[in-house]
Amino acid sequence: MSTLANQLAAAEREEVARGIRLLLARPLLTEAADPPGFALVRRRREPLAAWFDYTCGWSLVVEPRRGYARLAKVRPGTDASRPARRLRSGRAPFDRRRYVLLCVIAAELLSVPMTTIGLLADRVIAATTADEALPVFDPVQRPERTAFVDALKLLESYGVLRTVDGATDTYVESADAKVLYRVDATLLMRLPAAPVGASHSAVPADEVSARFGELLAGLVRERRYGMTQDPSGDRPPEDPHGEPVAASDAQRNLWLRHSVLRRLFDEPVLYRADLTDEEAAYIASLTGRQILRRSVEQAGLLLEERAEGFLLVDPDAIATDLRFPDDTSTARVAALLLLEPVCARPDGMLPEQVAEAAAGLLRRFPGWAKTYRSEEGAARLAEDAVRVLRDTGLVRRTGALVTALPAAYRYRVPEPEMADTDGRGAGGGRGAAVGAGQDGEDE
């Protein structure tokens, strides 16, 4: 092979690896948000689509003319660790009301190429009035307008809505605000990643609450693994772990590969204790290990393998959608500081003990965390910090106890060692957290 051919092959491998990491962090990649990234994905869309299909069983759709790439990440279960977030006021997660408005707004946008914020609000009022299961949208109330704007801003960030005139935020102050939108209905229909449409799971409104978990599970069932129907025809049979039963060994191996690698590439940490016996056997097999290592290498990531599990590191932080340590919020700072007392109690800490540790932080830093200075502030800070740690795979709630997981111990600050006779420390001084970018020191 010529030198030029070698260079071209190396350039393609590097671009495919970068494209994989871009899409892992941003499953909806638009040309407007990231022109260079979208150009790379468009150029290498065929090897990228092949990698995601083989490795994770995820489909990649690239629409060059419409300016977006959509990676449909499918998970075997629900995951609340990555909620939709408000793009205003500290990126708080969406609450139930905002999710409801988001869904109603999306449904109403499908039939209109252009609309104003006032006309859209009227359509949402009519839709929620007609559905007895939904509370009626009331734009007279400021909290309602704020929730409405949060849902619209999220759709704007996806590229589904584009403001032609006006600014969405003005609606918070007045329901008479004038904003004109252009709607991309094709992109809107690409947002759901579930392999089964919600219309296939239609049930009477009074049964939704009782069967909500079952309905969600039904949306993510994938028939490519040869799932066979049970005699009632309602749902595929499942094994004791809740996984679908495959129709053949080949389909079962395909399911094992995808189920393991999806979690490896999409979760902060993959613990062996969380694997089923079959998954553990697959990843320990010669074929499983070869596929795992080859997939990680093709993605340009580094694999850390420990007795407790696996962790992927991106040296360039391209694939990182959630950083830890991170000082962008009070809860994230508190999460790092609370790791020390949590790790010091391997048997776990009660919520009251974590709250007391948080109260100690508030006393130690009197000018910090002003929004948590109320009577219940320490408990709220502890709860928010534990949520951060749980979402990053560092702690787990077992009943009422908060217990440190193995990856949490990499962030502990070691005790300083005794100085040598010449006055220099035998150790390396103050410890730094071992994380992506080595940015874990507590300043």
Side-chain angles (χ1 to χ4, degrees):
M1 184 179 292
S2 66
T3 302
L4 177 59
N6 285 331
Q7 292 175 345
L8 292 175
E12 180 178 359
R13 286 195 300 271
E14 292 177 1
E15 289 193 346
V16 169
R18 186 177 183 86
I20 291 171
R21 287 176 284 161
L22 282 171
L23 290 166
L24 285 173
R26 300 174 64 184
L28 176 60
L29 184 65
T30 63
E31 186 176 22
D34 185 359
F38 178 75
L40 185 152
V41 171
R42 179 180 58 192
R43 185 166 57 251
R44 302 299 183 188
R45 58 184 178 273
E46 291 184 3
L48 285 171
W51 187 92
F52 279 111
D53 179 65
Y54 178 84
T55 304
C56 301
W58 293 335
S59 63
L60 173 64
V61 175
V62 181
E63 294 286 355
R65 294 185 179 181
R66 305 196 71 91
Y68 70 84
R70 177 66 168 126
L71 175 65
K73 288 185 177 181
V74 182
R75 299 290 300 273
T78 57
D79 180 10
S81 65
R82 300 174 197 178
R85 293 190 176 275
R86 311 173 202 181
L87 302 183
R88 311 162 57 252
S89 63
R91 294 184 59 81
F94 267 35
D95 54 17
R96 185 182 184 89
R97 184 56 173 160
R98 284 166 171 79
Y99 278 120
V100 169
L101 288 176
L102 177 64
C103 293
V104 176
I105 290 170
E108 296 302 319
L109 288 175
L110 282 173
S111 59
V112 290
M114 296 192 73
T115 187
T116 66
I117 198 168
L119 289 174
L120 183 57
D122 290 341
R123 292 175 69 99
V124 172
I125 292 172
T128 53
T129 302
D131 192 331
E132 60 182 17
L134 301 178
V136 177
F137 174 56
D138 182 8
V140 175
Q141 305 296 324
R142 182 186 176 95
E144 287 278 87
R145 297 198 305 272
T146 301
F148 187 70
V149 165
D150 286 336
L152 292 176
K153 296 286 286 185
L154 184 66
L155 291 173
E156 283 186 58
S157 72
Y158 292 155
V160 170
L161 286 179
R162 297 183 184 179
T163 53
V164 177
D165 186 36
T168 304
D169 289 312
T170 59
Y171 190 76
V172 174
E173 302 301 327
S174 172
D176 296 324
K178 307 298 181 183
V179 189
L180 178 64
Y181 296 109
R182 179 174 284 110
V183 183
D184 189 338
T186 303
L187 178 56
L188 177 60
M189 290 188 290
R190 288 288 184 190
L191 293 185
V196 179
S199 60
H200 292 277
S201 303
V203 297
D206 57 350
E207 297 182 18
V208 171
S209 297
R211 300 175 58 185
F212 191 68
E214 175 190 340
L215 293 175
L216 286 181
L219 297 180
V220 295
R221 283 208 174 88
E222 301 168 81
R223 298 188 178 278
R224 68 180 297 176
Y225 305 110
M227 298 185 298
T228 55
Q229 296 293 331
D230 65 4
S232 67
D234 294 332
R235 55 185 294 182
E238 295 179 345
D239 67 11
H241 300 288
E243 296 177 355
V245 175
S248 69
D249 290 341
Q251 290 166 325
R252 186 64 181 174
N253 287 333
L254 184 66
W255 164 252
L256 290 172
R257 182 210 306 163
H258 289 166
S259 64
V260 170
L261 294 182
R262 283 175 180 180
R263 293 160 65 185
L264 178 67
F265 282 98
D266 206 35
E267 295 180 0
V269 187
L270 176 59
Y271 292 107
R272 295 183 193 272
D274 294 335
L275 299 174
T276 65
D277 292 341
E278 285 188 281
E279 289 172 335
Y282 176 83
I283 208 170
S285 68
L286 178 60
T287 300
R289 294 187 67 81
Q290 288 177 340
I291 292 175
L292 183 151
R293 294 184 179 278
R294 183 172 65 248
S295 300
V296 171
E297 181 182 356
Q298 290 171 341
L301 299 169
L302 302 177
L303 175 66
E304 287 192 14
E305 184 175 353
R306 299 287 186 269
E308 299 83 5
F310 306 86
L311 181 148
L312 295 183
V313 177
D314 183 356
D316 302 315
I318 297 171
T320 304
D321 62 340
L322 180 62
R323 296 176 182 271
F324 186 88
D326 189 8
D327 60 357
T328 56
S329 72
T330 301
R332 295 184 181 278
V333 175
L336 179 60
L337 295 174
L338 288 175
L339 269 182
E340 191 68 22
V342 173
C343 289
R345 295 287 300 272
D347 55 337
M349 295 181 70
L350 292 169
E352 295 80 6
Q353 294 173 314
V354 182
E356 179 55 36
L361 294 178
L362 294 174
R363 292 191 296 268
R364 180 181 174 188
F365 305 106
W368 171 69
K370 295 181 179 179
T371 57
Y372 293 94
R373 295 287 167 177
S374 62
E375 182 179 353
E376 300 295 329
R380 289 192 297 110
L381 180 59
E383 182 64 26
D384 292 346
V386 168
R387 185 180 300 111
V388 171
L389 295 174
R390 188 179 66 242
D391 292 347
T392 50
L394 300 178
V395 303
R396 174 175 293 152
R397 285 189 183 274
T398 306
L401 290 176
V402 177
T403 308
L405 293 173
Y409 293 89
R410 68 194 291 131
Y411 297 99
R412 294 193 68 183
V413 179
E415 293 293 333
E417 298 184 19
M418 297 297 293
D420 290 335
T421 54
D422 61 358
R424 294 177 298 178
R430 198 166 93 175
V434 183
Q438 300 291 325
D439 56 354
E441 291 191 32
D442 174 23
E443 298 294 343

